[in-house]
RNA sequence: GCUCCCAUCGUCUAGCGGUCUAGGACGUCGCCCUCUCACGGCGAAAACAGGGGUUCGAGUCCCCUUGGGAGCGCCA
């Protein structure tokens, strides 16, 4: 293994970690893990106005929740400003950069007239070869790269292929602002170089930046890292994922009850494929992932597929782990549904026992929690519309009829309950469903639930009989359907 | 406007010149299973944007058109 790969995820902390950023991080992580390399994390906080502590925390939290770990310490770009300046000084000395005294107004005017004349909107190089003695007094200059004006600049991208720009279409970008702080374009190059990054994997909105950064590498005499510009994720309407589509941070998906493993699985298949395989464990993903299988067209975000995948992962995940995932989001989502931020031991045990039946039927942890309502419902149990419809007078009469047999059961478990109810249905001359459905409605307050006998077994004799009794006694009485 | 990128079922995609009467998955619609709902099983409808080339042969290569997208800051 001659050249261990080093990738990096480099978000700017100006907002939460969104779904596109999460996928970029995942791809970097997978590529590094696949090749036994390292993934670094760098926070691009050179924009002091917009970078915030909460955003940094949200990004770190999001990555951790998603299960994407990084190697080494987090690098904060702003802390490296002195190094960035040093590099620019060198460039200034070698003639690779120059001071530009153009005012913001001049620049705006330049862009406007260029556009109106159908020319590319770019800096015209007016200070490129001008005598510094012409510098207006009192104006702090920016420092620009003396970019080549002829020929072409190409990047050999592992996803996009060889992409070429004519140098005349690229202008002299700003390296150092007039206040002496480095720009993103410069900082990225210096940091990637200093950090030993071998592969830059990022969204293809950076494709042009790739060319401009290549010019900086060349001016510095540094070797250009491998690049892979992956297509962006679009919203359902085909436009770039944005606030209009909900502007969701990764934390929102957590709160919606998605499993990290499902999100990883969904994200990896957006733009990348491995034959016909749709379902991936982490190990499979790491083993199969590579850059050549990444497509070049943007993918649309499809919530339905994410939900389906989440359902699959829910079923595959052991009950204890699902329970832990629930406990992670409970502080967020518990209080709103009458659950506290934590589960008391008794409820936890009942939930765990019910999970095999529950996780089979839910697409998200939220759905699961709602379906488990019968486990934590306050008394008296509220009936939803379907349950209320099921519990008509004949149904209630059947409940009354089966009550003695249930009360007399020596053992209260799934098998004994099923035997008793089947016998009861036969004795009443009705189909199993005609008795089971009223029982389900009485015991869960819902028209649907996990298998009835499992539910009754977990609930226990006392609770079950009380709920059945309450509905049996209400024969002929109009019930108040649950408002919800 | 300029530069660059993209184009297979509604969506994610397989396809790397002949095995494509185009495969899988999600979603949709039937049927089966069944104590409900799911799961699972079986089946159906559903796509190579259009036009030119190249070739014995094109979804696969080239060009044009059309349609999407991204970038064009002293933001990142």
């Amino acid at each position: 293994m001659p050249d261990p790969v080093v990738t990096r995820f480099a978000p700017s902390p100006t907002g939460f970690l969104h779904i596109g950023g999460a996928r970029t991080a995942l791809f970097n992580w997978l590529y590094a893990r696949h090749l036994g390399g390292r993934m670094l994390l760098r926070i691009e906080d050179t924009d002091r106005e917009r970078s915030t502590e909460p955003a940094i925390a949200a990004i770190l939290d999001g990555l951790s929740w998603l299960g994407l770990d990084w190697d080494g310490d987090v690098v904060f770009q702003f802390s490296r400003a002195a190094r960035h300046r040093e590099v620019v000084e060198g460039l200034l000395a070698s003639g690779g950069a120059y001071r530009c005294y153009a005012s913001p107004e001049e620049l705006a005017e330049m862009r406007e007239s260029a556009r109106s004349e159908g020319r590319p909107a770019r800096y015209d190089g007016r200070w490129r070869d001008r005598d510094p003695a012409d510098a207006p007094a009192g104006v702090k200059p920016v420092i620009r790269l003396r970019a080549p004006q002829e020929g072409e600049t190409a990047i050999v991208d592992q996803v996009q292929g060889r992409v070429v720009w004519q140098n005349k279409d690229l202008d002299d970008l700003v390296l150092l602002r007039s206040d002496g702080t480095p720009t993103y374009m410069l900082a990225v190059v210096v940091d990637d170089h200093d950090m030993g990054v071998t592969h830059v994997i990022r969204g293809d909105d950076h494709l042009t930046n790739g060319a401009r950064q290549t010019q900086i590498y060349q001016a510095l005499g540094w070797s250009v890292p491998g690049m892979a510009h992956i297509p962006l994720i679009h919203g359902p309407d085909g436009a770039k994922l944005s606030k209009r589509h909900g502007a969701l941070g990764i934390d929102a998906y957590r709160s919606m009850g998605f499993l990290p493993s499902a999100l990883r699985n969904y994200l990896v298949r957006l733009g990348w494929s491995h034959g016909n395989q749709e379902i991936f464990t982490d190990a499979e993903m790491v083993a199969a992932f590579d850059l050549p299988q990444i497509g070049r067209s943007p993918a649309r975000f499809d919530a339905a597929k994410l939900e389906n995948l989440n359902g699959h992962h829910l079923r595959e995940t052991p009950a204890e782990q699902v329970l832990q995932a629930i406990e992670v989001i409970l502080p967020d989502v518990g209080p709103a549904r009458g659950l506290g931020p934590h589960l008391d031991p008794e409820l936890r045990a009942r939930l765990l026992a019910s999970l095999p039946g529950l996780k089979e039927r839910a697409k998200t942890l939220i759905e699961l929690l709602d379906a488990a309502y019968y486990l934590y419902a306050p008394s008296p149990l509220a009936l939803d519309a379907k349950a209320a419809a099921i519990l008509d007078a004949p149904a209630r009469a059947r409940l009354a009829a089966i009550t003695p047999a249930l009360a007399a059961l020596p053992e209260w478990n799934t098998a004994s309950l099923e035997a008793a109810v089947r016998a009861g249905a036969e004795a009443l001359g009705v189909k199993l469903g005609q008795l089971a459905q009223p029982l389900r409605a009485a015991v869960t307050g819902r028209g649907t639930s996990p298998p009835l006998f499992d539910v009754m077994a977990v609930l226990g004799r006392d609770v079950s009989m009380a709920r059945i009794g309450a509905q049996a006694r209400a024969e002929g009485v109009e019930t108040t359907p649950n408002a919800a």
Side-chain angles (χ1 to χ4, degrees):
Chain A
M1 291 207 191
D3 280 340
V5 327
V6 178
T7 66
R8 48 61 157 190
F9 178 55
S12 60
T14 54
F16 41 50
L17 176 62
H18 56 87
I19 206 79
R23 189 189 55 155
T24 299
L26 175 66
F27 279 20
N28 275 284
W29 184 84
L30 284 171
Y31 191 62
R33 293 289 174 270
H34 174 71
L35 263 25
R38 303 190 301 142
M39 179 183 92
L40 276 19
L41 178 61
R42 183 174 68 228
I43 302 293
E44 312 225 305
D45 55 350
T46 52
D47 184 342
R48 305 313 288 169
E49 300 287 301
R50 299 197 299 153
S51 298
T52 68
E53 276 306 318
I56 293 172
I59 289 168
L60 265 29
D61 277 1
L63 288 175
S64 300
W65 175 76
L66 238 198
L68 304 181
D69 53 344
W70 56 91
D71 297 293
D73 294 329
V74 179
V75 173
F76 290 89
Q77 192 159 62
F78 182 68
S79 72
R80 297 180 35 82
R83 164 64 176 155
H84 300 147
R85 245 182 320 255
E86 170 189 308
V87 169
V88 174
E89 289 304 328
L91 233 27
L92 223 33
S94 70
Y98 63 92
R99 293 186 173 79
C100 167
Y101 295 86
S103 67
E105 294 71 33
E106 278 180 76
L107 263 18
E109 189 188 304
M110 211 181 289
R111 273 191 292 272
E112 203 175 315
S113 61
R115 190 171 293 228
S116 66
E117 289 167 30
R119 289 181 292 111
R122 57 187 193 80
Y123 173 67
D124 62 7
R126 60 182 59 179
W127 282 91
R128 190 178 163 104
D129 299 307
R130 195 153 161 192
D131 189 337
D134 293 347
V139 175
K140 304 278 278 178
V142 300
I143 298 184
R144 289 182 184 270
L145 179 73
R146 191 186 302 276
Q149 292 178 302
E150 294 176 355
E152 54 188 43
T153 296
I155 69 178
V156 180
D157 193 280
Q158 306 214 41
V159 170
Q160 307 289 337
R162 181 181 150 89
V163 185
V164 182
W165 286 263
Q166 296 307 311
N167 286 333
K168 64 178 172 55
D169 293 329
L170 267 12
D171 62 0
D172 291 347
L173 63 273
V174 173
L175 262 15
L176 228 48
R177 303 186 186 102
S178 53
D179 65 359
T181 58
T183 60
Y184 160 82
M185 213 62 79
L186 187 255
V188 167
V189 169
V190 175
D191 291 347
D192 282 341
H193 176 263
D194 289 359
M195 290 163 76
V197 171
T198 61
H199 295 263
V200 173
I201 303 171
R202 77 235 289 199
D204 73 7
D205 49 339
H206 285 289
L207 193 61
T208 312
N209 292 339
R212 293 165 49 99
Q213 287 162 10
T214 294
Q215 293 186 328
I216 300 178
Y217 277 103
Q218 288 168 346
L220 256 10
W222 294 345
S223 63
V224 184
M227 292 189 183
H229 288 92
I230 62 182
L232 264 18
I233 298 176
H234 288 176
D237 60 355
K240 186 179 177 179
L241 214 42
S242 72
K243 316 273 184 286
R244 291 190 299 114
H245 304 100
L248 302 178
I250 208 75
D251 59 306
Y253 292 91
R254 172 172 56 191
S255 294
M256 285 187 283
F258 291 104
L259 256 19
S261 63
L263 204 50
R264 286 193 296 272
N265 195 158
Y266 177 70
L267 255 20
V268 80
R269 285 284 293 102
L270 237 39
W272 176 83
S273 61
H274 182 62
N276 278 337
Q277 187 171 354
E278 299 285 348
I279 309 291
F280 290 86
T281 63
D282 286 342
E284 290 171 334
M285 246 183 243
V286 168
F289 188 83
D290 206 353
L291 268 15
Q293 285 81 253
I294 297 177
R296 283 188 286 178
S297 53
R300 299 187 190 202
F301 186 81
D302 182 1
K305 187 143 187 175
L306 206 210
E307 288 199 344
N308 172 275
L309 233 25
N310 200 59
H312 181 88
H313 281 260
L314 221 35
R315 274 172 255 128
E316 295 298 303
T317 304
E320 177 61 38
Q321 283 178 40
V322 171
L323 188 49
Q324 285 167 16
I326 290 172
E327 288 177 306
V328 166
I329 63 170
L330 216 49
D332 259 358
V333 305
R337 54 207 83 227
L339 279 162
H342 305 290
L343 297 170
D344 67 66
E346 195 197 322
L347 177 55
R348 189 182 197 283
R350 271 187 289 157
L351 192 50
L352 185 60
S354 307
L355 236 23
L358 251 15
K359 70 192 181 77
E360 178 90 11
R361 294 169 165 70
K363 290 202 288 291
T364 67
L365 294 175
I366 297 301
E367 278 185 22
L368 190 155
L369 237 25
D370 287 338
Y373 174 70
Y374 62 90
L375 290 176
Y376 56 83
S379 185
L381 186 67
L383 303 181
D384 73 5
K386 264 182 87 179
I390 288 167
L391 289 169
D392 56 11
R396 290 173 190 279
R398 290 197 283 276
L399 290 183
I402 191 71
T403 295
L406 292 177
L409 275 178
E411 301 273 331
W412 187 270
N413 57 44
T414 303
S416 65
L417 284 163
E418 174 156 11
V421 173
R422 281 190 187 279
E426 204 167 324
L428 288 168
V430 299
K431 287 198 246 175
L432 182 57
Q434 290 176 286
L435 182 52
Q437 277 298 82
L439 280 168
R440 182 191 319 283
V443 156
T444 68
R446 303 284 173 84
T448 67
S449 81
L452 175 64
F453 310 117
D454 294 337
V455 168
M456 291 173 71
V458 168
L459 245 22
R461 186 193 297 264
D462 293 348
V463 172
S464 299
M465 291 308 289
R467 289 182 183 177
I468 294 166
Q471 298 306 327
R473 279 192 301 278
E475 182 178 358
V477 174
E478 209 55 41
T479 54
T480 318
N482 178 6

